[in-house]
Amino acid sequence: MKSLSECSVTVIGLGLMGASLCIDLKQRNLCREVRGVTRNFGTILRAFHENSVDLATTDLSSGVAGADIVILSTPVRAVVQMLETLGPILWPGTVVMDMGSTKAEICAAMERLPPRVQPIGGHPMTGKETAGYASAESGLYEGAPWVLTPLPRTSNETVELASELAEAIGAFPTTMQPARHDQLVAAISHLPFLMASALVHAVSDCGDEDPAVWDLAAGGFRDTSRVAASDTQMFLDILVTNREAVLAQMDTVSAHFQELRRLLAENDEDSLWRMLSCSQATRAAWQQKKGAFTTSAQG
């Protein structure tokens, strides 16, 4: 199998994640050729003229023809559908990756790809609440975990190439089973989005009674509600394709919330203090570990 520097890479979907990947691959001269495929002709012109890609097209067949690596960067259900279209037109030996936020359904669809291609699931754990090509930036993946979910048919060489790509743009590849990935991200990504959405609805209800709440809203509301501004279709696909794991996490957080409510209603200050202190210490320990990891990795 070729090294990354010898590969022609096609990225399908030039939104935040796909375009940021193209920018890094192109600007750092990491591969032989960078192609972008998107349905938006305006994005094609912009990507080409801004030197984010070597080639951009709306035609899927010509975009993937002869590519060594094809990376799907679209909403999850669009990835699943596109894999069915891609199967018959990919050249033998093509590595097919994705960047979707859930993995079980995508990897199941990848299993149905022709045996002549090499599939591997992927999910870079980074992003922003804004979407689209205009939000793309160089260095988006720097210091971020990049989960790889190989299939039983995925060769070691394919895992090595996918890891090489992730490392080349500053990410840190880690491999795990699709089901385990989906359970973990339900807790750290999908649940926070739903909680932020619920918070915005609650504050909006308050605003219906007294609009001044929006004038007073500041850092606390901004920070805890940030991900509620994320792309709706993207998160709808995520939630639908990871329903059971997300529901389980919603039940867990609901139990903790009800316990906090009970302690407050009973004016049990000692127990409330202990519960809040525990969450404070856990959050601080994670932040310290994350900071140390980032510093070590960058050094």
Side-chain angles (χ1 to χ4, degrees):
M1 184 169 288
K2 297 177 181 178
S3 65
L4 179 62
S5 62
E6 301 172 297
C7 288
S8 172
V9 180
T10 294
V11 178
I12 301 174
L14 295 181
L16 167 66
M17 305 297 284
S20 295
L21 176 59
C22 287
I23 290 170
D24 280 347
L25 291 173
K26 176 69 173 168
Q27 290 186 354
R28 302 184 189 192
N29 197 30
L30 297 175
C31 55
R32 177 171 58 85
E33 179 187 44
V34 181
R35 307 179 193 173
V37 178
T38 182
R39 294 177 297 181
N40 190 310
F41 188 71
T43 300
I44 287 175
L45 292 177
R46 184 171 176 181
F48 183 75
H49 288 297
E50 292 181 1
N51 202 33
S52 300
V53 294
D54 296 301
L55 171 70
T57 180
T58 59
D59 183 67
L60 184 63
S61 295
S62 63
V64 303
D68 300 292
I69 306 173
V70 173
I71 303 174
L72 285 73
S73 181
T74 62
V76 174
R77 286 188 288 186
V79 171
V80 173
Q81 294 172 357
M82 194 170 297
L83 286 168
E84 297 181 8
T85 304
L86 282 173
I89 62 176
L90 292 173
W91 288 24
T94 304
V95 172
V96 182
M97 299 176 61
D98 83 287
M99 302 169 72
S101 299
T102 64
K103 297 269 64 79
E105 287 198 20
I106 288 176
C107 287
M110 283 184 167
E111 192 64 67
R112 298 190 290 271
L113 286 169
R116 66 178 182 275
V117 301
Q118 273 289 304
I120 182 168
H123 179 204
M125 301 297 297
T126 187
K128 299 190 292 186
E129 68 273 16
T130 52
Y133 179 87
S135 298
E137 62 182 43
S138 174
L140 180 67
Y141 301 97
E142 198 73 41
W146 189 310
V147 179
L148 298 174
T149 54
L151 281 63
R153 60 185 271 192
T154 305
S155 68
N156 292 334
E157 291 79 10
T158 298
V159 177
E160 291 173 1
L161 180 59
S163 298
E164 181 186 0
L165 186 149
E167 290 172 349
I169 58 174
F172 299 91
T174 181
T175 60
M176 63 179 61
Q177 293 296 314
R180 183 185 178 200
H181 165 275
D182 288 357
Q183 289 175 347
L184 296 179
V185 296
I188 61 172
S189 178
H190 310 162
L191 178 64
F193 170 76
L194 289 174
M195 293 178 68
S197 177
L199 172 63
V200 172
H201 281 290
V203 174
S204 181
D205 289 346
C206 180
D208 290 341
E209 298 293 328
D210 188 345
V213 70
W214 297 111
D215 298 324
L216 300 181
F221 176 74
R222 179 196 63 220
D223 294 342
T224 51
S225 66
R226 179 182 62 83
V227 293
S230 300
D231 181 78
T232 300
Q233 186 60 55
M234 178 188 74
F235 257 102
L236 182 61
D237 279 19
I238 288 170
L239 297 173
V240 169
T241 57
N242 201 23
R243 182 185 296 108
E244 294 304 318
V246 173
L247 287 172
Q249 289 300 322
M250 293 179 74
D251 290 342
T252 298
V253 78
S254 178
H256 287 298
F257 197 80
Q258 288 301 315
E259 177 64 6
L260 286 168
R261 188 188 189 286
R262 181 185 69 80
L263 295 176
L264 182 60
E266 295 175 2
N267 200 28
D268 187 346
E269 289 192 33
D270 290 341
S271 297
L272 186 59
W273 185 91
R274 284 193 294 270
M275 190 169 180
L276 296 175
S277 295
C278 180
S279 60
Q280 179 192 42
T282 301
R283 175 60 166 75
W286 170 80
Q287 184 64 51
Q288 184 177 24
K289 179 181 178 182
K290 192 74 171 179
F293 173 79
T294 302
T295 301
S296 173
Q298 290 175 345

